[in-house]
Amino acid sequence: MMIGGRRPEPMPGHGSGTSIGGNNNAPVQNVVGQNISHVHQSASVRGTTDVEAVRGLLVAFRADLDRHRGAVATEPALRGMTDAIDHQLALPAPETNALRQMARTLPALVLGTVVQQGGEALADALTGWLG
């Protein structure tokens, strides 16, 4: 019961559907309204990612492409790129310029697709590994 006062105004931002931090258990949606699940975050520190981490993200990204077969317009290019990255990683002395170019190109090919997070994580890992 309130005596002599009015109800406090709600804090700005509440009820907007956007929250940063806190205990948010609701599904997250991206700007076009697609539910986002299995989100992988990465932060790269140059030169600290090892080749096994890159390989692991490459395997995960390929599996993501398989799960969404036919849903990504750039799928043929992405599959070719994953093969090229895999080939380079198997070489005793990979062509770092080629890998750098792929790391720069990959985010543009996955932008706005259901495989964006995995593609960006792979690109970040490549960049981190190459230092």
Side-chain angles (χ1 to χ4, degrees), residues 10-124:
M11 293 184 65
H14 283 278
S16 68
T18 304
S19 173
I20 299 175
N23 294 326
N24 189 352
N25 294 323
V28 179
Q29 291 186 340
N30 66 9
V31 229
V32 293
Q34 295 172 328
N35 283 334
I36 300 172
S37 60
H38 306 295
V39 174
H40 303 280
Q41 290 182 324
S42 69
S44 65
V45 179
R46 293 187 181 269
T48 61
T49 303
D50 65 14
V51 71
E52 291 309 313
V54 175
R55 283 190 178 117
L57 285 168
L58 180 61
V59 168
F61 182 63
R62 280 182 166 158
D64 208 15
L65 280 173
D66 289 343
R67 268 191 306 281
H68 300 289
R69 186 173 300 266
V72 180
T74 57
E75 182 181 347
L78 291 170
R79 289 198 184 276
M81 188 174 285
T82 60
D83 290 344
I85 291 169
D86 194 27
H87 174 75
Q88 287 296 321
L89 294 178
L91 295 175
E95 296 177 30
T96 57
N97 287 336
L99 287 170
R100 277 192 182 92
Q101 182 60 38
M102 287 184 262
R104 284 191 298 266
T105 306
L106 189 55
L109 291 174
V110 298
L111 185 66
T113 68
V114 294
V115 297
Q116 181 173 345
Q117 285 85 11
E120 289 176 348
L122 176 58
D124 287 344

